[in-house]
PDB file of all heavy atoms in Angstrom:
ATOM      1  N   LEU A  32     -26.517  39.519  40.374  1.00 96.00           N
ATOM      2  CA  LEU A  32     -26.280  38.250  39.681  1.00 96.00           C
ATOM      3  C   LEU A  32     -26.155  37.113  40.691  1.00 96.00           C
ATOM      4  O   LEU A  32     -25.805  37.335  41.857  1.00 96.00           O
ATOM      5  CB  LEU A  32     -25.008  38.318  38.839  1.00 96.00           C
ATOM      6  CG  LEU A  32     -24.946  39.370  37.737  1.00 96.00           C
ATOM      7  CD1 LEU A  32     -23.653  39.215  36.939  1.00 96.00           C
ATOM      8  CD2 LEU A  32     -26.151  39.278  36.828  1.00 96.00           C
ATOM      9  N   SER A  33     -26.423  35.899  40.235  1.00 96.00           N
ATOM     10  CA  SER A  33     -26.229  34.707  41.063  1.00 96.00           C
ATOM     11  C   SER A  33     -25.747  33.569  40.182  1.00 96.00           C
ATOM     12  O   SER A  33     -26.022  33.537  38.975  1.00 96.00           O
ATOM     13  CB  SER A  33     -27.532  34.300  41.761  1.00 96.00           C
ATOM     14  OG  SER A  33     -28.463  33.816  40.809  1.00 96.00           O
ATOM     15  N   LEU A  34     -25.045  32.638  40.779  1.00 96.00           N
ATOM     16  CA  LEU A  34     -24.604  31.469  40.019  1.00 96.00           C
ATOM     17  C   LEU A  34     -25.795  30.638  39.554  1.00 96.00           C
ATOM     18  O   LEU A  34     -25.766  30.045  38.475  1.00 96.00           O
ATOM     19  CB  LEU A  34     -23.660  30.612  40.872  1.00 96.00           C
ATOM     20  CG  LEU A  34     -22.250  31.171  41.099  1.00 96.00           C
ATOM     21  CD1 LEU A  34     -21.441  30.208  41.952  1.00 96.00           C
ATOM     22  CD2 LEU A  34     -21.543  31.452  39.790  1.00 96.00           C
ATOM     23  N   ALA A  35     -26.857  30.614  40.367  1.00 94.00           N
ATOM     24  CA  ALA A  35     -28.045  29.856  39.981  1.00 94.00           C
ATOM     25  C   ALA A  35     -28.616  30.384  38.667  1.00 94.00           C
ATOM     26  O   ALA A  35     -29.020  29.616  37.784  1.00 94.00           O
ATOM     27  CB  ALA A  35     -29.089  29.923  41.085  1.00 94.00           C
ATOM     28  N   ALA A  36     -28.611  31.720  38.509  1.00 94.00           N
ATOM     29  CA  ALA A  36     -29.144  32.315  37.282  1.00 94.00           C
ATOM     30  C   ALA A  36     -28.218  32.095  36.094  1.00 94.00           C
ATOM     31  O   ALA A  36     -28.647  32.215  34.939  1.00 94.00           O
ATOM     32  CB  ALA A  36     -29.382  33.808  37.494  1.00 94.00           C
ATOM     33  N   LEU A  37     -26.952  31.778  36.378  1.00 96.00           N
ATOM     34  CA  LEU A  37     -25.975  31.556  35.302  1.00 96.00           C
ATOM     35  C   LEU A  37     -25.815  30.081  34.971  1.00 96.00           C
ATOM     36  O   LEU A  37     -24.950  29.722  34.167  1.00 96.00           O
ATOM     37  CB  LEU A  37     -24.618  32.144  35.709  1.00 96.00           C
ATOM     38  CG  LEU A  37     -24.567  33.676  35.842  1.00 96.00           C
ATOM     39  CD1 LEU A  37     -23.240  34.117  36.435  1.00 96.00           C
ATOM     40  CD2 LEU A  37     -24.809  34.351  34.498  1.00 96.00           C
ATOM     41  N   ARG A  38     -26.640  29.229  35.582  1.00 97.00           N
ATOM     42  CA  ARG A  38     -26.559  27.799  35.306  1.00 97.00           C
ATOM     43  C   ARG A  38     -26.721  27.559  33.807  1.00 97.00           C
ATOM     44  O   ARG A  38     -27.575  28.155  33.155  1.00 97.00           O
ATOM     45  CB  ARG A  38     -27.633  27.064  36.090  1.00 97.00           C
ATOM     46  CG  ARG A  38     -27.459  25.554  36.189  1.00 97.00           C
ATOM     47  CD  ARG A  38     -26.225  25.144  36.987  1.00 97.00           C
ATOM     48  NE  ARG A  38     -26.099  25.780  38.281  1.00 97.00           N
ATOM     49  CZ  ARG A  38     -26.712  25.381  39.395  1.00 97.00           C
ATOM     50  NH1 ARG A  38     -27.542  24.363  39.370  1.00 97.00           N
ATOM     51  NH2 ARG A  38     -26.485  26.010  40.536  1.00 97.00           N
ATOM     52  N   GLY A  39     -25.918  26.696  33.256  1.00 97.00           N
ATOM     53  CA  GLY A  39     -25.912  26.432  31.820  1.00 97.00           C
ATOM     54  C   GLY A  39     -24.790  27.155  31.101  1.00 97.00           C
ATOM     55  O   GLY A  39     -24.489  26.852  29.949  1.00 97.00           O
ATOM     56  N   ARG A  40     -24.149  28.107  31.794  1.00 98.00           N
ATOM     57  CA  ARG A  40     -23.006  28.814  31.227  1.00 98.00           C
ATOM     58  C   ARG A  40     -21.737  28.334  31.914  1.00 98.00           C
ATOM     59  O   ARG A  40     -21.770  27.840  33.050  1.00 98.00           O
ATOM     60  CB  ARG A  40     -23.152  30.337  31.429  1.00 98.00           C
ATOM     61  CG  ARG A  40     -24.472  30.910  30.994  1.00 98.00           C
ATOM     62  CD  ARG A  40     -24.735  30.710  29.499  1.00 98.00           C
ATOM     63  NE  ARG A  40     -23.851  31.553  28.696  1.00 98.00           N
ATOM     64  CZ  ARG A  40     -24.147  32.813  28.352  1.00 98.00           C
ATOM     65  NH1 ARG A  40     -25.306  33.351  28.733  1.00 98.00           N
ATOM     66  NH2 ARG A  40     -23.320  33.518  27.614  1.00 98.00           N
ATOM     67  N   ILE A  41     -20.609  28.488  31.240  1.00 98.00           N
ATOM     68  CA  ILE A  41     -19.310  28.251  31.857  1.00 98.00           C
ATOM     69  C   ILE A  41     -18.902  29.558  32.518  1.00 98.00           C
ATOM     70  O   ILE A  41     -18.847  30.601  31.854  1.00 98.00           O
ATOM     71  CB  ILE A  41     -18.266  27.821  30.812  1.00 98.00           C
ATOM     72  CG1 ILE A  41     -18.713  26.533  30.114  1.00 98.00           C
ATOM     73  CG2 ILE A  41     -16.893  27.639  31.452  1.00 98.00           C
ATOM     74  CD1 ILE A  41     -17.973  26.250  28.824  1.00 98.00           C
ATOM     75  N   VAL A  42     -18.654  29.523  33.803  1.00 98.00           N
ATOM     76  CA  VAL A  42     -18.334  30.740  34.554  1.00 98.00           C
ATOM     77  C   VAL A  42     -16.866  30.693  34.981  1.00 98.00           C
ATOM     78  O   VAL A  42     -16.413  29.694  35.544  1.00 98.00           O
ATOM     79  CB  VAL A  42     -19.243  30.888  35.787  1.00 98.00           C
ATOM     80  CG1 VAL A  42     -18.868  32.141  36.585  1.00 98.00           C
ATOM     81  CG2 VAL A  42     -20.713  30.955  35.360  1.00 98.00           C
ATOM     82  N   ILE A  43     -16.162  31.753  34.685  1.00 98.00           N
ATOM     83  CA  ILE A  43     -14.771  31.900  35.148  1.00 98.00           C
ATOM     84  C   ILE A  43     -14.753  33.029  36.164  1.00 98.00           C
ATOM     85  O   ILE A  43     -15.093  34.180  35.840  1.00 98.00           O
ATOM     86  CB  ILE A  43     -13.819  32.209  33.982  1.00 98.00           C
ATOM     87  CG1 ILE A  43     -13.853  31.063  32.962  1.00 98.00           C
ATOM     88  CG2 ILE A  43     -12.398  32.425  34.497  1.00 98.00           C
ATOM     89  CD1 ILE A  43     -13.084  31.366  31.691  1.00 98.00           C
ATOM     90  N   VAL A  44     -14.415  32.704  37.394  1.00 98.00           N
ATOM     91  CA  VAL A  44     -14.360  33.693  38.470  1.00 98.00           C
ATOM     92  C   VAL A  44     -12.917  34.155  38.621  1.00 98.00           C
ATOM     93  O   VAL A  44     -12.011  33.340  38.867  1.00 98.00           O
ATOM     94  CB  VAL A  44     -14.887  33.109  39.792  1.00 98.00           C
ATOM     95  CG1 VAL A  44     -14.866  34.172  40.883  1.00 98.00           C
ATOM     96  CG2 VAL A  44     -16.301  32.569  39.618  1.00 98.00           C
ATOM     97  N   ASP A  45     -12.699  35.449  38.447  1.00 98.00           N
ATOM     98  CA  ASP A  45     -11.358  36.040  38.508  1.00 98.00           C
ATOM     99  C   ASP A  45     -11.232  36.833  39.797  1.00 98.00           C
ATOM    100  O   ASP A  45     -11.808  37.906  39.941  1.00 98.00           O
ATOM    101  CB  ASP A  45     -11.150  36.940  37.284  1.00 98.00           C
ATOM    102  CG  ASP A  45      -9.813  37.678  37.312  1.00 98.00           C
ATOM    103  OD1 ASP A  45      -8.921  37.266  38.081  1.00 98.00           O
ATOM    104  OD2 ASP A  45      -9.670  38.668  36.560  1.00 98.00           O
ATOM    105  N   PHE A  46     -10.479  36.287  40.754  1.00 98.00           N
ATOM    106  CA  PHE A  46     -10.223  36.993  42.016  1.00 98.00           C
ATOM    107  C   PHE A  46      -9.040  37.933  41.779  1.00 98.00           C
ATOM    108  O   PHE A  46      -7.925  37.492  41.518  1.00 98.00           O
ATOM    109  CB  PHE A  46      -9.911  35.996  43.129  1.00 98.00           C
ATOM    110  CG  PHE A  46     -11.086  35.153  43.533  1.00 98.00           C
ATOM    111  CD1 PHE A  46     -11.336  33.937  42.914  1.00 98.00           C
ATOM    112  CD2 PHE A  46     -11.951  35.583  44.522  1.00 98.00           C
ATOM    113  CE1 PHE A  46     -12.423  33.156  43.275  1.00 98.00           C
ATOM    114  CE2 PHE A  46     -13.052  34.813  44.900  1.00 98.00           C
ATOM    115  CZ  PHE A  46     -13.288  33.600  44.266  1.00 98.00           C
ATOM    116  N   TRP A  47      -9.300  39.249  41.896  1.00 98.00           N
ATOM    117  CA  TRP A  47      -8.274  40.231  41.568  1.00 98.00           C
ATOM    118  C   TRP A  47      -8.351  41.399  42.534  1.00 98.00           C
ATOM    119  O   TRP A  47      -9.301  41.530  43.311  1.00 98.00           O
ATOM    120  CB  TRP A  47      -8.451  40.730  40.129  1.00 98.00           C
ATOM    121  CG  TRP A  47      -9.683  41.584  39.909  1.00 98.00           C
ATOM    122  CD1 TRP A  47     -10.990  41.208  40.066  1.00 98.00           C
ATOM    123  CD2 TRP A  47      -9.716  42.960  39.510  1.00 98.00           C
ATOM    124  NE1 TRP A  47     -11.826  42.253  39.770  1.00 98.00           N
ATOM    125  CE2 TRP A  47     -11.088  43.337  39.423  1.00 98.00           C
ATOM    126  CE3 TRP A  47      -8.742  43.898  39.185  1.00 98.00           C
ATOM    127  CZ2 TRP A  47     -11.476  44.624  39.046  1.00 98.00           C
ATOM    128  CZ3 TRP A  47      -9.139  45.176  38.805  1.00 98.00           C
ATOM    129  CH2 TRP A  47     -10.485  45.528  38.743  1.00 98.00           C
ATOM    130  N   THR A  48      -7.320  42.214  42.499  1.00 96.00           N
ATOM    131  CA  THR A  48      -7.336  43.476  43.223  1.00 96.00           C
ATOM    132  C   THR A  48      -6.563  44.476  42.380  1.00 96.00           C
ATOM    133  O   THR A  48      -5.592  44.116  41.706  1.00 96.00           O
ATOM    134  CB  THR A  48      -6.752  43.339  44.637  1.00 96.00           C
ATOM    135  OG1 THR A  48      -6.984  44.543  45.365  1.00 96.00           O
ATOM    136  CG2 THR A  48      -5.273  43.010  44.624  1.00 96.00           C
ATOM    137  N   PHE A  49      -6.992  45.728  42.355  1.00 96.00           N
ATOM    138  CA  PHE A  49      -6.490  46.619  41.319  1.00 96.00           C
ATOM    139  C   PHE A  49      -5.080  47.138  41.559  1.00 96.00           C
ATOM    140  O   PHE A  49      -4.481  47.743  40.668  1.00 96.00           O
ATOM    141  CB  PHE A  49      -7.470  47.759  41.024  1.00 96.00           C
ATOM    142  CG  PHE A  49      -7.749  48.733  42.145  1.00 96.00           C
ATOM    143  CD1 PHE A  49      -6.857  49.727  42.492  1.00 96.00           C
ATOM    144  CD2 PHE A  49      -8.967  48.689  42.832  1.00 96.00           C
ATOM    145  CE1 PHE A  49      -7.142  50.642  43.483  1.00 96.00           C
ATOM    146  CE2 PHE A  49      -9.270  49.601  43.836  1.00 96.00           C
ATOM    147  CZ  PHE A  49      -8.354  50.585  44.167  1.00 96.00           C
ATOM    148  N   CYS A  50      -4.493  46.894  42.730  1.00 95.00           N
ATOM    149  CA  CYS A  50      -3.100  47.286  42.942  1.00 95.00           C
ATOM    150  C   CYS A  50      -2.127  46.335  42.265  1.00 95.00           C
ATOM    151  O   CYS A  50      -0.959  46.649  42.076  1.00 95.00           O
ATOM    152  CB  CYS A  50      -2.781  47.330  44.435  1.00 95.00           C
ATOM    153  SG  CYS A  50      -2.669  45.684  45.213  1.00 95.00           S
TER     154      CYS A  50
END
Side-chain angles (χ1 to χ4, degrees):
L32 300 184
S33 69
L34 287 180
L37 293 172
R38 195 66 50 83
R40 309 299 290 272
I41 300 163
V42 178
I43 299 172
V44 182
D45 176 17
F46 292 90
W47 69 298
T48 189
F49 64 77
C50 72

